[in-house]
Structure formats: structure tokens, C-alpha cells
Amino acid sequence: MPDTGVIHDIGYQRYEGPRLGRGYAARSLYVHGIRSAYGLGRSAWAKVLPMGVLAFASMASLILVVINTQLPTQVIDYVGIASTFTYAATVFVAVVAPELVSVDLRSNLLQLYLSRPLRKSDYALTKLASLATATFLLFAIPMLIMFLGMAFNTDSGIGGVLDEVGGFAQGLVAAAIHAALLSALGLPLASLSGRRVFASGMIIALFLLTTPISGALQAFGNGALADLGGLMDPSSLLNGVDQWLFGPGIGIVRTGDFGAVYGLVTVALIALGTYLLVLRYKKVKS
Amino acid sequence: MPLIETTALQKRYDNKVTALADLTVAIEPGVVGLVGVNGAGKSTLIKLALGLLEPTGGRIRVLGLDPVADGDRVRARVGYMPEHDCLPPDMIAAEFVTHMARVSGLPKAMARERASETLRHVGLYEERYRRIGGYSTGMKQRVKLAQALVHDPELLLLDEPTNGLDPAGRRAMLDLVHRIGTDFGISVVVCSHLLGEIERICTSLVAIDAGRLLRSATLDSMTQARDLLMVEVDEDAEALAAALVSQGLEVRTDNRVLYVRIEDSSTDGDVYDKIRDAVADLDLPLHRIERQRHQVADLFREVANA
């Protein structure tokens, strides 16, 4: 009889359990991406900016609930949150996109992912999905707060709650479109540089430098030129899509009769960004 | 079945740089040392085996599969430890290895369990709850090994695992690799440009040079066939060499040191006697006579020179 209370080294154990394939590997990477976008599982400093932007947006949404319920008409609705929070989301993407891809390039972690069942395109698309989901949450959580606030404050019973559900659903659709476009523009840029600073800078530059061009076209152009000027920068473009789909709520840009063009350009840009991202990882040195 | 089998394998980068030229080799299970100078094509061979690169000519099969067509299946059964740093500094080691286990296809609970077990096997205990950024080079190398081992691969590819380690760290890492090959029962291909270092732990060696196979054999067959006696005299080594050659011995001179080849152990005493007599006849000051320990390196040098 061996003595009780002795810890025996049972040695190395072979793994006989299941090995889930590529799909599971991609899902694991996806969840990991969303978590690290918000700094979970990383250092305290990594949480400051993404969590800060989210907290700020949630607080703004809470204030909106108060204003909306105090005033006779709703000032900003759910789609309005998507439109007005675009700039905050831009900052979020500029900070988080490099975190998702540049760090993997710089630390060579990409090499370890690619030596596993994942393929290069799996990696690229999974990272894009992570960023889009994280950005979507940045819109959706404040919208949820607004929904809860408005639904509890409604004066018209269940009908009022259903109205809010409809608005909330529209808001989520707008949030998904915003998240998809901003991610599809930001991630390919971030994947070009292993330096976080440069990657963030490129994304900020894309969003900031296009704004005056689009603004100038809208201000000084006439007719169709002015109506199409909003296509030139992402925030105006997204606002145009919001107006086209859900009617003029927050009208930052004038789209005239070209609402569908805004929609088409958005879809085309999402497709192009995704394609370029996959192409970029096809060419990555392994 | 060989672990890795190549036939006339060729890899050229951008049609200019030739990393591998006509490499035909069969790597059998065990602890296999893949040796060659820097740039000989070791890392390229490993990347071809993982399906990360496509060959520009010839054929490669890993665990009986084609790594280009069946890359996912090959990579699920192979563990890879790259040469260079590849760890995210702001993750906790235990979480990182768990994450990599999941990306290799292990369910969540199993991934967590195997991650802490594997980290213990590579010698990281309480430290595994610290951030990797604060680790020493030796600890980072252990984490790199753990992530390659965590999904219990059939084949482990280690690219220069002793890179950047101090002598004690090198020894510990090599012992660990040896233990993985013998106790854990996992076949290992370990790349190194330091032959003397890995010959201690390998069951066979494959030497490549300029993208071609130099030699491939089990360590037993090499050392048996080629035992050398090192004889050092203070003066007139040439005369002694001539005397020994005339006795029918095979001798190579390196400054004042003679290397005398011993065919097999039964005639050992004979050779010792001949050397003693020759030294005595020439009245030379004999400095030392000893059996060469690092004869494998010597062997490869001979082949390279020839």
C-alpha cells in the first residue's frame, strides 16, 4: 500500500478526446478576437480605450433616454444613435483593428495560427467578423440601454413597447451596417502594418482626410454633385444609408434622390474591403 | 511509415533564390536531428511539411498525407515551434496556451486542462499565471514548446529550440526534447546548426547543405562505423602519421592531433598497441590518447569536404 497523501507524477498523458476542425478553430479565434477587442484577458491599459468608448456611449444613451422622455417628441431615436455615434465608432475601430491584426504580425503570432488547422482566409475573415461584432456591440449596447429606458417609460402600454421594439430592430440593422463598413475599411488598413501606431494612424487618416473633401463637395457643389458628395467619406456615407433605409432622422448629409447609390456604394465598399483583406493574407509570408 | 518523405523536393523563392534543390529523404519516427548551416534549407523544409509553403517541384508527404492538399489534417496532427519569438506579450501564459489548444481543435475544458498540464511538463508552474511579456528568454522558449505540444501531436517540429539560451538553459531544453521523444512517445524533428549539441539526444540525423541531402542515417550506424581515436603528440606528428599509415591504419592529421580510425571494437586493443609501439619507436612525447566523443560532427565535415 502506498502512503496516502503522496502526489504521484502520472507522467505524460496522450490526448484521446475529440479534435474539432477548422470551424471550431475559427470560432475560438472569433471569440478570442471579440474579447481582446475590449481588452478582456489583456492588461488593464488595454481595456481603457475600448471600455471607455463603450461607457461613454452608454452614458450618452442614458442621457438621451432622459431627454427623450422629458420632451414631447423624441430627439434622437435608435437609428439616430447609429448615425451620431459613428465618430466614436471610428475611434474604436482605429484602436481595436491594430490590436486584432497588427499585434499578430509584429509578434509573429500569425505564424502559430497558420501552423494550425486554420487557413489564411479563415484567419482574415474571422478577424473581420470579430472586429465587426465588437463594433456592433458598441452601437447595440447603448441602443439596448435606450430600449430598456424607453420601454419602461412608455405611457401607451404594450403598444408603446412594441413601437420601441420596432425602432430597436431598425437600430440594430443600422448598427450592423455601420459595423460592417467601418470594419471592412479599417481592418485591411491595419493589416498593412505591424506597428500599432501606424495602423491606427492610417485608419484615422482615412476617416479624417476624406471628411473635408466630402464636406467641400456638399457645400460648394450644386445639384447632383452636392447630393453625391457624402459618398466621399465613411461617416456621411453611412448617414446617407440610414436616411435611405429609415427615413430622414438625423440628416447630416443631403442625399437627394440618390439614397440607393449610397446603399450600393456601401455594399461595394464592404465587399471590396473584405476581398482586399483576404488577398493581403494570401500573400503573407509564412 | 516515414514521418516525412520527400522525393526530388524543390523550393525556389520568387524563381530566384533556391532554398531546396532536389531533396530526397525519408525521416523515420524517433528523435531526428535536422542539421545544416544557417540557410541550408532547414526552416524551408519544415514550412513545406506544414503546408505553409508550396513546393516548386517534387513531392512531400507528412504522416502519409499531402500537406498542400490536406493541410488542415496535417496541421491538426503536427506541432510546430518556430525559431523566432512568436508570443503575444500582454497575454497570460496559461490563457495563451489554452487559446492555442482551442485553435488546434480541443474542446474548451480539455484545452484548459491540457494547457496547465503541458506547461507543467515543460517546467512552468506558478509562473504560468504571469504575463508572457515579463518572461525570460528561457521561459518564453518553454511557452513556445508548450503551445506546440498542447494538442498532443504525433509529430513535433522544433526549429532551433535552443536559440538564445545560456548553456544551462540549452541543456535543460535538450533534456526536455529528449524526454518528449522517449517518455512521451512523440516523434520529434529538431533543427539545429549545432550538431554537437543535438547528437546527444537524437536517434537519427539528417544533414542538409545548400538545399540538398548531405547524409541521413541512424546515430547507431554512424558511430559504430566510425569510431576515432584522438592521438596528440607534442612534436613530429607527421612522422607518427606516416608510421601508422604504414601499419595499415587510416589516419587524418589536424595540426599536432591525429585521428585514427577504428574499424570495430574487436580489434581495438590492436590499434592501441600499434599506436603505443609507433610512439615508442619514434621516441615522441605522447600528450594524450582518447576516444573521440564528437565524431559525428567530424563525419559530416568529411562528407562536406569530399
Side-chain angles (χ1 to χ4, degrees):
Chain A
M1 274 295 285
D3 290 340
T4 51
V6 176
I7 299 171
H8 294 282
D9 185 2
I10 48 175
Y12 184 77
Q13 304 256 298
R14 299 306 302 240
Y15 175 73
E16 308 287 352
R19 289 175 192 272
L20 312 164
R22 265 171 69 202
Y24 173 81
R27 276 203 306 284
S28 304
L29 185 63
Y30 169 71
V31 174
H32 179 77
I34 297 171
R35 281 174 52 84
S36 43
Y38 283 99
L40 301 173
R42 296 173 45 220
S43 60
W45 279 114
K47 296 182 180 67
V48 172
L49 238 154
M51 288 292 195
V53 174
L54 180 62
F56 188 74
S58 301
M59 244 141 63
S61 162
L62 212 57
I63 294 168
L64 285 174
V65 170
V66 175
I67 295 174
N68 282 345
T69 49
Q70 296 306 312
L71 293 178
T73 53
Q74 196 166 350
V75 180
I76 289 185
D77 61 355
Y78 299 95
V79 177
I81 287 189
S83 293
T84 43
F85 288 5
T86 306
Y87 288 105
T90 306
V91 174
F92 180 82
V93 168
V95 173
V96 168
E99 187 52 52
L100 289 180
V101 290
S102 305
V103 171
D104 288 3
L105 286 171
R106 185 169 173 82
S107 67
N108 271 326
L109 183 55
L110 181 60
Q111 210 177 8
L112 294 187
Y113 284 130
L114 297 183
S115 68
R116 291 180 147 74
L118 284 177
R119 293 178 190 167
K120 288 174 179 174
S121 54
D122 297 343
Y123 173 86
L125 294 175
T126 303
K127 286 288 182 180
L128 183 61
S130 294
L131 179 60
T133 308
T135 315
F136 174 77
L137 289 175
L138 185 69
F139 289 112
I141 290 172
M143 283 180 193
L144 181 68
I145 290 171
M146 177 179 261
F147 172 71
L148 292 176
M150 300 300 285
F152 280 118
N153 275 307
T154 183
D155 300 325
S156 39
I158 193 72
V161 174
L162 285 179
D163 278 352
E164 295 299 329
V165 171
F168 186 36
Q170 286 192 345
L172 291 183
V173 172
I177 296 170
H178 282 238
L181 180 69
L182 294 179
S183 309
L185 292 177
L187 205 60
L189 279 178
S191 72
L192 294 178
S193 172
R195 298 285 302 273
R196 224 181 296 194
V197 184
F198 290 144
S200 291
M202 279 192 284
I203 297 172
I204 294 277
L206 172 74
F207 288 106
L208 281 190
L209 295 182
T210 51
T211 307
I213 301 173
S214 141
L217 280 176
Q218 291 176 57
F220 304 120
N222 43 27
L225 190 61
D227 290 344
L228 290 173
L231 294 174
M232 297 301 294
D233 84 292
S235 333
S236 305
L237 175 62
L238 284 167
N239 183 247
V241 177
D242 290 343
Q243 292 184 48
W244 175 54
L245 288 176
F246 308 111
I250 302 291
I252 299 172
V253 289
R254 204 171 72 233
T255 60
D257 299 325
F258 295 103
V261 177
Y262 279 74
L264 272 177
V265 169
T266 303
V267 172
L269 281 178
I270 293 171
L272 180 69
T274 309
Y275 172 72
L276 289 177
L277 184 70
V278 171
L279 197 68
R280 188 258 176 277
Y281 278 98
K282 276 249 171 339
K283 291 184 190 293
V284 78
K285 284 214 179 73
S286 43
Chain B
M1 183 183 68
L3 296 171
I4 301 175
E5 197 176 14
T6 73
T7 320
L9 187 66
Q10 189 206 50
K11 177 66 194 176
R12 291 156 69 92
Y13 290 105
D14 302 329
N15 277 321
K16 285 195 287 277
V17 187
T18 304
L20 287 178
D22 192 28
L23 180 74
T24 301
V25 67
I27 296 179
E28 300 290 337
V31 181
V32 182
L34 182 59
V35 291
V37 294
N38 289 333
K42 304 185 297 283
S43 298
T44 302
L45 179 59
I46 281 193
K47 282 175 182 168
L48 286 165
L50 284 164
L52 297 178
L53 295 174
E54 277 188 43
T56 46
R59 210 178 69 121
I60 178 164
R61 292 191 82 77
V62 178
L63 303 169
L65 298 166
D66 177 355
V68 175
D70 272 327
D72 321 349
R73 284 169 65 204
V74 169
R75 291 194 293 268
R77 294 162 65 190
V78 175
Y80 170 47
M81 173 179 173
E83 179 179 1
H84 301 292
D85 199 14
C86 56
L87 303 173
D90 75 347
M91 273 184 87
I92 289 165
E95 284 184 11
F96 169 70
V97 177
T98 306
H99 172 56
M100 294 319 277
R102 296 186 63 189
V103 178
S104 285
L106 267 60
K108 197 173 181 178
M110 290 310 291
R112 194 167 295 279
E113 191 183 317
R114 278 204 58 93
S116 60
E117 216 172 281
T118 311
L119 282 165
R120 190 170 54 84
H121 279 300
V122 300
L124 289 175
Y125 300 89
E126 292 313 309
E127 310 91 302
R128 67 176 186 266
Y129 300 112
R130 297 206 333 239
R131 289 189 196 282
I132 295 169
Y135 277 12
S136 67
T137 311
M139 287 157 83
K140 282 182 184 162
Q141 289 294 90
R142 285 164 194 267
V143 177
K144 276 165 67 179
L145 182 60
Q147 66 78 30
L149 195 59
V150 69
H151 55 295
D152 189 29
E154 287 166 52
L155 168 63
L156 201 51
L157 302 172
L158 309 177
D159 201 346
E160 305 273 1
T162 55
N163 225 2
L165 298 179
D166 58 23
R170 281 168 179 269
R171 214 159 29 243
M173 176 58 73
L174 290 170
D175 287 347
L176 196 55
V177 173
H178 182 67
R179 219 155 62 81
I180 290 169
T182 52
D183 297 357
F184 298 8
I186 297 172
S187 284
V188 184
V189 173
V190 48
C191 277
S192 183
H193 59 276
L194 298 169
L195 176 62
E197 192 175 87
I198 61 168
E199 68 173 322
R200 288 197 300 120
I201 61 161
C202 292
T203 52
S204 61
L205 283 171
V206 172
I208 56 177
D209 186 47
R212 281 167 213 282
L213 180 68
L214 211 57
R215 198 185 159 117
S216 161
T218 63
L219 212 60
D220 289 348
S221 70
M222 287 190 194
T223 44
Q224 262 169 19
R226 297 277 188 138
D227 262 4
L228 290 174
L229 271 184
M230 193 176 88
V231 183
E232 189 176 343
V233 286
D234 280 351
E235 59 192 48
D236 221 3
E238 293 80 13
L240 178 61
L244 291 175
V245 168
S246 69
Q247 297 260 358
L249 293 175
E250 198 177 307
V251 180
R252 196 164 58 76
T253 325
D254 185 10
N255 280 335
R256 293 176 317 178
V257 182
L258 305 183
Y259 294 96
V260 184
R261 189 160 147 196
I262 308 173
E263 278 310 334
D264 65 80
S265 46
S266 58
T267 57
D268 261 13
D270 218 24
V271 175
Y272 281 105
D273 287 349
K274 283 178 182 168
I275 293 172
R276 179 201 60 203
D277 294 345
V279 171
D281 288 347
L282 292 166
D283 200 17
L284 294 175
L286 179 64
H287 203 75
R288 63 171 162 169
I289 176 164
E290 80 173 66
R291 233 196 164 96
Q292 252 278 332
R293 289 290 164 219
H294 288 283
Q295 61 277 71
V296 181
D298 211 48
L299 194 77
F300 280 116
R301 200 175 315 126
E302 273 173 38
V303 176
N305 290 341

